[in-house]
Amino acid sequence: MYLTKIYKNSSCIDGRGIFAGEPIPKGTVVFYYSSNDAYVLKKEFQSLPDSEREQIQKLGLEDESGNWIVTDGDANHSCDANILSMFVDGIYCDIAVKDIKIGEEITIDYGLFYSSFPWQMKCRCHSNNCRGVFGSAIPVDFQTQQLWHLRISEAAGRIFQVTQPLFARGDESARALRLALRSKQNPEIFPYTKFSLISNDPKMKI
Ligand SMILES: [Zn+2]
């Protein structure tokens, strides 16, 4: 679930996107998996009709076991995203890697998501570093991976300098993530992102 105020609106990238309902400083943990999120187990997913599976694939995130989580907001892809995915002791979350202004669209890099099947989409993010197409079928190039690592590390270094809505949450997954973050204050300990799932570079492995 999203930890910051968001709202949905029409997007100049694609269809409807999610937008910041408040200023989100760089270093804010924006999203985590909570028990309030809807999970669709692999078995259940496989038994659904095509139309429902397509909807989940559009709105959801797949984990490495083939289970799906359907999130409360569907951030569009950008090749110059303002939030990025990271793992802290194996716990997934998204962190703001830029200061996001109120009313600004929240974007993430879809190329980093795990997917059990290859897919690709034409990009309409209009950023200067647009890759043109993105998806699990197109591994993110090494230079971009390094830049994302740098942005995540810089943002992670600010985790304890900004107000974290995560820290006000009392559910078990929030507590686990908070503990993981507290035990890993050095940003260098955030080397593991989804990159490691799609990169052949051994330096990017766990
Ligand atoms: Zn793009």
Side-chain angles (χ1 to χ4, degrees), residues 13-157:
I13 298 177
D14 189 25
R16 285 175 76 76
I18 60 163
F19 293 77
E22 60 185 331
I24 304 172
K26 176 174 163 179
T28 306
V29 177
V30 174
F31 176 92
Y32 78 120
Y33 288 161
S34 88
S35 46
N36 295 330
D37 288 314
Y39 290 87
V40 181
L41 298 178
K42 183 180 180 179
K43 232 177 173 176
E44 192 188 336
F45 177 78
Q46 287 171 334
S47 68
L48 291 170
D50 286 354
S51 59
E52 283 184 45
R53 280 213 307 272
E54 276 167 26
Q55 188 66 5
I56 290 171
Q57 284 170 342
K58 187 171 177 290
L59 293 174
L61 293 168
E62 185 183 17
D63 75 11
E64 293 160 73
S65 306
N67 305 313
W68 289 80
I69 180 171
V70 184
T71 66
D72 52 342
D74 181 23
N76 273 321
H77 165 90
S78 169
C79 301
D80 192 19
N82 50 26
I83 69 173
L84 287 172
S85 314
M86 70 175 188
F87 283 81
V88 189
D89 280 357
I91 303 174
Y92 179 95
C93 60
D94 298 331
I95 189 168
V97 293
K98 300 179 183 188
D99 288 326
I100 304 171
K101 296 187 191 79
I102 188 165
E104 195 177 328
E105 181 163 5
I106 295 174
T107 56
I108 194 162
D109 194 324
Y110 284 12
L112 311 180
F113 291 158
Y114 171 76
S115 177
S116 60
F117 56 93
W119 60 272
Q120 63 182 69
M121 282 173 78
K122 194 163 183 252
C123 190
R124 292 190 292 180
C125 78
H126 313 297
S127 66
N128 290 337
N129 58 340
C130 181
R131 306 197 290 274
V133 282
F134 63 92
S136 66
I138 306 165
V140 178
D141 63 87
F142 185 65
Q143 206 179 356
T144 306
Q145 291 187 29
Q146 282 186 309
L147 180 60
W148 283 185
H149 272 284
L150 182 68
R151 288 191 181 174
I152 290 168
S153 294
E154 280 178 7

Side-chain angles (χ1 to χ4, degrees), residues 26-29 86 88 95 154-164 166-167 177-187 189-190:
K26 176 174 163 179
T28 306
V29 177
M86 70 175 188
V88 189
I95 189 168
E154 280 178 7
R158 299 180 58 170
I159 282 174
F160 296 94
Q161 292 163 18
V162 299
T163 304
Q164 289 292 350
L166 172 76
F167 296 167
L177 179 55
R178 190 166 62 237
L179 272 175
L181 291 168
R182 287 232 161 93
S183 65
K184 304 277 187 185
Q185 288 196 31
N186 183 340
I189 50 59
F190 292 92

